[in-house]
């Protein structure tokens, strides 16, 4: 049996035991060996350290900006687009062939200008026939009136004869047969009068039917001329000469651009800040052109998908330079506020996750103030919630907390 492997195993086991179970004792021995001997202290010496020998704790240096509240013309910013004030597709109401020369798109038209003229065909003959039937119906009225008068006279005659027969019968000078004959004659006369009155009513009805036929043919003829409903521009060529237009076929597209509308969608959190008649300015994406107008409509119902409210702004466009469908950034004026303009980097969060900034007071003690964002601009961010005068930490605010005293360097002062 070899003794050396056994001794090596015992040594390794002892080292592992000391390293695991007696670790603290080993560390103490190592530290004691590394420390130099402590010199003896004279018990009779009574010197103590002076206050000047005690170093003050180092303060964190921060950069501070003195900010004063300034009036800010608050506005609701939305994105939208231009929309024509009116736009209509002029379509045919009857079927016919176009007999007028076409107008080209881009042309200016006024209300009532002819856009498409259709071939009348046999519609003129149909109108003449309807007028003839109306004249015929009108000529029957005097005849029917004469028959009514004749029937009325005969009824009056038979009533007189009936009255005479009744009186003679009461005196015994007339027979019952004569009286019955007179009564039958009265009934026949009344029936003839009713028939004559019915004939007169039929004559009047014939006149009304004929006039309706005349009006229908005239309306059909009027449909042959398609005119512009309002002043505007043609967005398409009118129908070509010789083309057949069916009912519902497009003749032309007319668009009105003066005035023009700006349509945007305001979030539900901002809609209460918008009012009818409010002034609005917009910057068009094309050429950065600025235009101005007034709010003319605010939707009362939100879009179910985006939860936004439609707002329309009317803008004058006398030269028609603003086109339909241009993208615009719209600023709608609302009540102004007092706000501070700060660098966006000055914003921070406290332990509760509240957005705000850190301030210092006259004693250079740090405090936290929550703020509300109003507007983001290239120069900085406008916020509310601060006093009128505030010293805001703009650099180093992430390394301090409320209650800490700091060494400030103001932005308008040279650093030490």
């Amino acid at each position: 049996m070899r003794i050396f492997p056994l001794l090596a195993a015992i040594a390794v086991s002892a080292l592992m035991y000391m390293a695991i179970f007696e670790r603290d004792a080993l560390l103490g021995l190592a530290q004691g060996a590394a420390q130099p001997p402590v010199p003896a202290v004279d018990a009779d010496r009574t010197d103590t350290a002076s206050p000047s020998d005690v170093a003050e704790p180092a303060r964190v240096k921060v950069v501070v900006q003195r900010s004063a509240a300034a009036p800010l013309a608050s506005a609701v910013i939305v994105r939208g687009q231009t929309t024509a004030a009116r736009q209509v597709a002029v379509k045919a109401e009857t079927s016919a062939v176009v007999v007028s020369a076409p107008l080209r798109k881009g042309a200016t038209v006024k209300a009532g200008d002819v856009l498409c003229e259709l071939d009348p065909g046999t519609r003129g003959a149909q109108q003449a026939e309807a007028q003839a039937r109306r004249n015929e119906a009108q000529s029957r009225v005097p005849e029917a009136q004469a028959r009514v008068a004749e029937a009325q006279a005969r009824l009056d005659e038979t009533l007189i004869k009936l009255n005479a027969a009744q009186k003679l019968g009461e005196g015994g000078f007339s027979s019952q047969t004569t009286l019955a004959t007179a009564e039958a004659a009265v009934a026949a006369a009344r029936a003839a009068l009713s028939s004559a009155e019915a004939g007169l009513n039929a004559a009047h009805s014939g006149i009304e039917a004929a006039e309706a036929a005349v009006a229908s043919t005239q309306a059909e003829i009027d449909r042959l001329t398609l005119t512009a409903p309002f002043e505007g521009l043609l967005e398409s060529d009118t129908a070509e000469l010789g083309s057949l237009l069916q009912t519902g076929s497009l003749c032309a597209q007319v668009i009105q651009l003066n005035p023009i509308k700006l349509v945007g969608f305001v979030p539900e959190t901002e809609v209460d800040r918008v009012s009818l008649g409010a002034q609005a300015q917009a910057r068009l994406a094309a050429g950065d052109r600025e235009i101005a107008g007034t709010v003319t409509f605010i939707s009362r119902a939100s879009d179910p998908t985006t939860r936004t409210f439609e707002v329309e702004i009317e803008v004058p466009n006398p030269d028609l330079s603003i086109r339909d469908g241009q993208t615009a950034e719209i600023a709608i004026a609302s009540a102004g506020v007092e706000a501070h303009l700060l660098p966006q980097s000055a914003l921070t969060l406290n332990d509760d996750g509240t957005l705000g900034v850190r301030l210092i007071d006259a004693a250079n003690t740090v405090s936290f103030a929550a703020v509300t964002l109003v507007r983001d601009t290239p120069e900085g961010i406008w916020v509310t919630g601060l006093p009128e005068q505030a010293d805001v930490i703009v650099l180093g605010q992430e390394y301090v907390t409320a209650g800490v005293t700091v060494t400030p360097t103001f932005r308008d002062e040279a650093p030490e």
Side-chain angles (χ1 to χ4, degrees):
M1 181 178 179
R2 296 181 180 180
I3 193 64
F4 182 75
L6 182 60
L7 294 176
I10 294 173
V12 170
S13 300
L15 289 175
M16 291 181 65
Y17 174 81
M18 294 296 293
I20 296 173
F21 296 100
E22 302 295 336
R23 182 179 180 182
D24 295 339
L26 287 175
L27 291 177
L29 290 174
Q31 290 177 359
Q35 290 179 356
V38 179
V41 180
D42 188 357
D44 297 334
R45 184 175 179 179
T46 59
D47 295 340
T48 59
S50 62
S52 60
D53 296 335
V54 180
E56 295 182 359
R59 295 182 180 180
V60 177
K61 292 185 177 182
V62 295
V63 178
V64 178
Q65 174 179 317
R66 283 196 171 99
S67 177
L72 175 64
S74 181
V76 178
I77 308 298
V78 297
R79 292 187 64 85
Q81 65 178 14
T82 58
T83 304
R86 290 191 287 183
Q87 185 171 357
V88 65
V90 180
K91 296 183 179 181
E93 298 180 73
T94 187
S95 298
V97 176
V98 178
V99 295
S100 60
L103 300 177
R104 298 307 176 188
K105 54 187 175 183
T108 302
V109 295
K110 296 182 179 180
D113 286 355
V114 177
L115 302 178
C116 296
E117 187 75 30
L118 305 182
D119 182 18
T122 60
R123 292 175 178 83
Q126 294 174 356
Q127 185 182 35
E129 180 183 0
Q131 290 174 343
R133 290 180 178 177
R134 180 185 61 183
N135 295 335
E136 180 184 0
Q138 289 175 344
S139 66
R140 292 176 180 175
V141 173
E143 180 184 358
Q145 291 175 339
R147 289 178 180 176
V148 170
E150 180 184 2
Q152 183 65 50
R154 289 181 179 179
L155 177 61
D156 294 339
E157 180 185 1
T158 54
L159 287 174
I160 293 173
K161 290 180 179 180
L162 176 61
N163 186 31
Q166 288 176 343
K167 289 184 178 181
L168 290 174
E170 291 175 357
F173 301 103
S174 177
S175 65
Q176 293 293 329
T177 303
T178 303
L179 180 60
T181 302
E183 291 177 347
V186 169
R190 285 177 174 171
L193 178 60
S194 298
S195 177
E197 290 176 345
L200 180 59
N201 292 335
H204 285 299
S205 298
I207 292 175
E208 293 178 357
E211 289 179 345
V214 171
S216 177
T217 56
Q218 183 60 48
E220 183 68 13
I221 292 176
D222 293 340
R223 295 189 184 103
L224 299 174
T225 303
L226 282 71
T227 60
F230 50 79
E231 182 177 358
L233 296 175
L234 289 179
E235 276 293 292
S236 64
D237 294 340
T238 60
E240 187 60 54
L241 175 66
S243 60
L244 175 63
L245 293 186
Q246 302 287 349
T247 301
S249 298
L250 179 66
C251 167
Q253 189 89 13
V254 184
I255 187 171
Q256 186 182 53
L257 297 178
N258 184 32
I260 199 166
K261 294 188 297 183
L262 286 173
V263 179
F265 293 88
V266 180
E268 59 181 331
T269 56
E270 302 285 344
V271 69
D272 289 340
R273 298 174 57 195
V274 181
S275 59
L276 288 175
Q279 296 297 313
Q281 290 187 337
R283 179 182 290 106
L284 300 180
D288 284 340
R289 178 182 174 185
E290 293 188 355
I291 56 179
T294 56
V295 177
T296 57
F297 171 76
I298 304 173
S299 175
R300 292 290 178 179
S302 68
D303 184 278
T305 303
T306 62
R307 308 301 300 172
T308 56
F309 293 81
E310 182 180 0
V311 175
E312 292 184 0
I313 300 163
E314 187 175 287
V315 178
N317 188 28
D319 57 355
L320 307 181
S321 59
I322 306 174
R323 296 174 172 82
D324 178 35
Q326 288 187 260
T327 303
E329 184 177 2
I330 308 169
I332 305 173
S334 61
V337 294
E338 294 287 328
H340 290 257
L341 179 61
L342 301 174
Q344 190 172 9
S345 59
L347 298 177
T348 186
L349 299 173
N350 65 1
D351 294 339
D352 298 329
T354 304
L355 182 66
V357 295
R358 288 193 169 91
L359 313 176
I360 63 170
D361 55 16
N364 297 334
T365 302
V366 178
S367 61
F368 180 84
V371 297
T372 301
L373 303 182
V374 178
R375 187 185 304 172
D376 189 4
T377 65
E379 294 78 17
I381 191 165
W382 289 89
V383 298
T384 59
L386 300 179
E388 185 175 354
Q389 299 288 337
D391 292 336
V392 182
I393 302 176
V394 295
L395 187 59
Q397 70 274 15
E398 300 294 346
Y399 302 102
V400 295
T401 57
V404 174
T405 303
V406 296
T407 301
T409 298
F410 291 89
R411 278 200 161 176
D412 54 355
E413 299 178 357
E416 298 177 359

